[in-house]
Amino acid sequence: MFSHKKKNQLRGGKSSRFAEKLKTRELESATMRTNKFGIRIAASALALAVSYGAQAVTDEDIMNDANTPEDVVSYGMGTQGQRFSSLEDLNTDNVKFLQPAWAFSFGSEKMRGQETQPMVKDGVMYVSASYSRVYAIDAKTGEELWQYDARLPDGIMPCCDVVNRGVALYDDKVIFGTLDAKLVALNKDTGKPMWIKKVADYQAGYAITAAPLVVKGKIITGVSGGEFGIVGKVEAYDANTGEKVWTRPTVEGHMGYVYKDGKAIENGISGGKAGVTWPGDMWKNGGAATWLGGTYDPETDSLFFGTGNPAPWNSHLRPGDNLFSSSRLAIDPDDGSIKWHFQTTPHDGWDYDGVNELVSFDLKEGGKTIKAAATADRNGFMYVLNRENGDFIRGFPFVDKITWAKGLDPKTGRPIYTEGGRPGNPADMEGKKGKTVVAQPAFLGGKNWMPMAYSQETELFYVPSNEWSMDIWNENVSYKKGAAFLGAGFTIKPANDDYIGVLRAMDPKTGKEVWRYENTAPLWGGVMTTAGNLVFTGTPEGYLKAFDAKTGEELYRFNTGSGVVGTPITWTMDGEQYVSVASGWGGAVPLWGGEVAKVVKDFNQGGSIWTFKLPKDRVASK
């Protein structure tokens, strides 16, 4: 047997003496590492295949995910990102009987920031963990089938913790992104790497934290790194070979490409040309990172990706709208062309990233059904758009107070800026720190990364949000590869004495809040809703909670032992309904939260996946 230290090295622990070899032999080393455990892994996988009849995941499986409650094979429980389950065995009457089935520890000292959404296929759960790890777990028993740890180099620069939000499943592969900006495809039965592709240069500040999308046999990924002056992009890779299919930069002025026979063919400059909405050469390091990934709408054949803040934060250095930062983009999945864009915060000066998910839904009003999509932005406004062309339908606040804008133009949705609401120009202070302003929401947003859910039953959105403000000021800064490119300082403060987090039910037809649940600590986990009239989410205090989708009444809570910042799922197996969620406190709040971080300083870190089920005898007869 190997010693514990040797096992960690084989599974991917850092070791400086291997650093140079890893640069040229990463795939070979990963394959050898897996082979060290090949007998145990192969035996488990074989037993699982016999027991469950494990099948490959097809394009049809992914496109139909929202209608197949026996599995979860897409990030968002359906490519449109509604996170709605048609299951109703578990409901408001019997959710109190939901009980733990098993818990699985991610192990080691890497116990923080578990923001993942699990996947389930044919009795196997595939789940990622912090520090770019992936596990296959027997969904019935919680037994580990295999584990893969990416060998991360020294010097990775994730802005907002060492998180990973999930994997993609396709054919016989489990695909995920790493903190050193690679895509890795693993064999679903053994965990053995099938291909590894470099997406971007981690030494320039790039990383990947989002779950990839799979559309028409292509792996679609975004990138992180907006705080380092990178250039955001969306890229497609062939799922079978890992070869690049197309790339689309999300900063105006950069060339897009499609790839044929290994050759790059120009496919038009993003925005048409450089310098239209950016001054000078600022577009060359313009940010607009696509760090949250995207959704896909098969009805319009469109990828929907949000883009992050322009770089640097100091907006006085880059006058103009700074396209395509802080925007939502509709992208052609075949070649990466931009179909339309909608910018939520033109000339962003508060770090109000526009990355938050755009969720497709059918808006029924005025006797018509509109192909719509909604997003709850960091800036505190919720937007309803026509997803066919990007036209603005309506927008409204979903937080209690917004100071940086007085409202939205009713025709275009463009913000009406508050006079004096922008942090001051350092040039007005002889190059020293610019005038400080108080802005609400804080830059961590009225809603951050944590995905909302839409119920087809209630026709409401369930939005995890936070009430906080910030002191923010600008400073001078210049770009240097791999260095922070902010040009701003800030302090975040709670907006209320007794709560920060608010789970809200929002009506997209009226813009009204239907109900709310207030939480002491910030909410940082995703939301799921079901046809059983339930809404599930987690809290940093450690609870998985369930609410009545119509009234907001809390119906269930279970403490997982660490803060829940993951996103729950539900599925059926052997006639029983299951719920799973990752537990493990971390993410941006304790790193960037200022005074807010004091509220959560005593919360325990962790790393586990909890799975619950409703016993068969608690299901009402039909």
Side-chain angles (χ1 to χ4, degrees):
M1 295 292 292
F2 295 110
S3 68
H4 179 70
K5 180 178 180 181
K6 184 64 174 177
K7 281 186 179 180
N8 282 344
Q9 289 178 349
L10 290 169
R11 286 192 172 191
K14 294 182 190 176
S15 176
S16 58
R17 64 194 179 94
F18 288 131
E20 290 302 316
K21 291 182 180 179
L22 288 174
K23 292 181 180 179
T24 57
R25 298 181 61 193
E26 183 180 19
L27 182 57
E28 178 183 340
S29 297
T31 303
M32 291 172 63
R33 183 167 65 251
T34 303
N35 286 343
K36 292 288 186 179
F37 297 90
I39 297 175
R40 179 179 65 82
I41 294 170
S44 296
L46 178 60
L48 187 74
V50 172
S51 175
Y52 292 102
Q55 300 294 315
V57 175
T58 66
D59 290 290
E60 183 179 3
D61 291 335
I62 295 169
M63 290 301 106
N64 201 38
D65 190 31
N67 302 314
T68 53
E70 67 274 10
D71 57 36
V72 178
V73 296
S74 64
Y75 187 77
M77 296 170 58
T79 63
Q80 293 179 317
Q82 292 185 357
R83 300 188 178 275
F84 171 79
S85 172
S86 60
L87 293 174
E88 54 186 0
D89 284 351
L90 181 64
N91 53 55
T92 53
D93 293 329
N94 59 21
V95 68
K96 61 186 177 183
F97 299 115
L98 189 67
Q99 62 187 36
W102 52 263
F104 174 87
S105 173
F106 295 138
S108 80
E109 74 284 359
K110 302 173 181 178
M111 304 284 278
R112 73 184 220 214
Q114 312 301 342
E115 293 186 355
T116 187
Q117 178 216 288
M119 301 283 200
V120 177
K121 174 65 173 174
D122 295 331
V124 184
M125 178 179 291
Y126 303 95
V127 61
S128 64
S130 57
Y131 291 97
S132 306
R133 295 174 290 165
V134 176
Y135 299 79
I137 305 168
D138 185 323
K140 190 75 172 179
T141 66
E143 177 188 359
E144 178 182 305
L145 303 173
W146 55 256
Q147 174 183 345
Y148 175 84
D149 287 16
R151 281 186 179 267
L152 298 174
D154 294 326
I156 57 172
M157 293 180 286
C159 114
C160 305
D161 211 357
V162 289
V163 302
N164 187 284
R165 298 187 178 95
V167 304
L169 304 180
Y170 188 72
D171 195 26
D172 58 349
K173 301 172 186 67
V174 180
I175 304 111
F176 77 111
T178 68
L179 289 170
D180 59 342
K182 292 183 174 68
L183 280 178
V184 180
L186 307 172
N187 181 278
K188 69 178 178 64
D189 296 324
T190 67
K192 178 180 178 180
M194 300 178 73
W195 52 257
I196 297 175
K197 295 294 180 179
K198 176 180 176 180
V199 174
D201 180 8
Y202 76 90
Q203 293 179 316
Y206 285 95
I208 300 177
T209 56
L213 273 171
V214 180
V215 177
K216 303 179 185 179
K218 294 186 284 290
I219 308 300
I220 315 294
T221 185
V223 292
S224 303
E227 272 60 58
F228 298 96
I230 56 88
V231 173
K233 58 182 178 178
V234 179
E235 291 191 331
Y237 293 78
D238 185 288
N240 290 319
T241 65
E243 295 304 312
K244 191 181 297 185
V245 179
W246 53 257
T247 182
R248 172 52 54 190
T250 53
V251 176
E252 176 187 82
H254 294 267
M255 179 64 73
Y257 294 90
V258 294
Y259 296 83
K260 295 183 179 180
D261 299 324
K263 296 181 180 180
I265 302 171
E266 291 186 354
N267 190 35
I269 295 173
S270 297
K273 59 182 179 179
V276 178
T277 63
W278 291 83
D281 289 338
M282 296 297 290
W283 60 278
K284 293 183 178 180
N285 303 102
T290 49
W291 58 265
L292 193 52
T295 58
Y296 173 70
D297 175 40
E299 295 180 10
T300 60
D301 192 24
S302 298
L303 300 167
F304 296 135
F305 269 76
T307 63
N309 58 281
W313 288 18
N314 183 349
S315 61
H316 300 282
L317 296 176
R318 44 170 178 76
D321 281 358
N322 311 138
L323 291 173
F324 292 97
S325 68
S326 300
S327 300
R328 305 304 190 280
L329 305 180
I331 298 175
D332 188 322
D334 294 325
D335 66 1
S337 300
I338 296 176
K339 295 182 174 183
W340 55 257
H341 77 275
F342 181 86
Q343 190 171 38
T344 49
T345 313
H347 195 212
D348 182 3
W350 305 267
D351 188 37
Y352 290 147
D353 288 30
V355 296
N356 290 354
E357 71 282 3
L358 190 62
V359 179
S360 300
F361 73 109
D362 290 337
L363 178 65
K364 301 172 184 176
E365 60 182 19
K368 298 180 179 180
T369 298
I370 303 169
K371 293 185 188 301
T375 187
D377 200 82
R378 288 255 289 262
N379 67 20
F381 289 103
M382 192 166 180
Y383 300 81
V384 180
L385 308 177
N386 184 315
R387 69 179 188 263
E388 295 182 287
N389 52 29
D391 286 352
F392 176 71
I393 296 175
R394 67 176 56 91
F396 42 86
F398 68 94
V399 295
D400 293 337
K401 186 177 181 180
I402 296 174
T403 64
W404 66 277
K406 294 184 289 185
L408 302 176
D409 183 290
K411 293 183 178 180
T412 66
R414 191 177 178 89
I416 304 169
Y417 294 110
T418 301
E419 185 176 353
R422 185 179 296 272
N425 189 349
D428 296 336
M429 307 296 290
E430 298 180 354
K432 299 180 181 179
K433 185 175 78 171
K435 180 182 177 181
T436 299
V437 300
V438 178
Q440 192 168 338
F443 77 88
L444 287 177
K447 175 186 170 304
N448 201 277
W449 80 274
M450 51 279 193
M452 62 185 182
Y454 173 76
S455 171
Q456 298 175 16
E457 299 286 331
T458 65
E459 298 183 352
L460 300 175
F461 280 90
Y462 301 98
V463 185
S465 63
N466 291 297
E467 296 290 340
W468 40 26
S469 66
M470 64 179 173
D471 295 333
I472 183 170
W473 60 90
N474 285 325
E475 302 167 347
N476 287 321
V477 69
S478 57
Y479 174 76
K480 181 180 178 181
K481 180 182 176 179
F485 192 41
L486 297 184
F490 50 84
T491 301
I492 296 181
K493 301 175 290 186
N496 304 286
D497 293 333
D498 52 352
Y499 68 92
I500 300 172
V502 184
L503 176 64
R504 291 173 156 95
M506 300 296 299
D507 188 336
K509 299 177 184 178
T510 65
K512 301 297 183 181
E513 179 185 284
V514 177
W515 58 258
R516 67 194 284 165
Y517 163 79
E518 296 172 355
N519 195 72
T520 303
L523 293 180
W524 209 252
V527 180
M528 170 188 72
T529 186
T530 76
N533 194 36
L534 295 171
V535 175
F536 285 89
T537 194
T539 73
E541 292 90 344
Y543 290 99
L544 172 68
K545 294 191 174 187
F547 302 87
D548 186 304
K550 295 178 181 177
T551 68
E553 178 186 0
E554 182 180 320
L555 301 174
Y556 177 84
R557 64 164 58 190
F558 180 90
N559 199 301
T560 64
S562 183
V564 177
V565 293
T567 301
I569 62 167
T570 189
W571 80 99
T572 58
M573 183 168 56
D574 297 336
E576 295 176 299
Q577 185 172 349
Y578 287 75
V579 174
S580 287
V581 70
S583 170
W585 173 238
V589 174
L591 297 176
W592 294 76
E595 291 184 26
V596 170
K598 298 177 183 178
V599 178
V600 300
K601 66 181 178 63
D602 295 325
F603 290 172
N604 291 323
Q605 293 183 339
S608 59
I609 185 82
W610 282 85
T611 292
F612 306 80
K613 72 174 180 179
L614 180 70
K616 291 181 180 179
D617 61 1
R618 296 298 183 178
V619 179
S621 59
K622 298 178 182 178

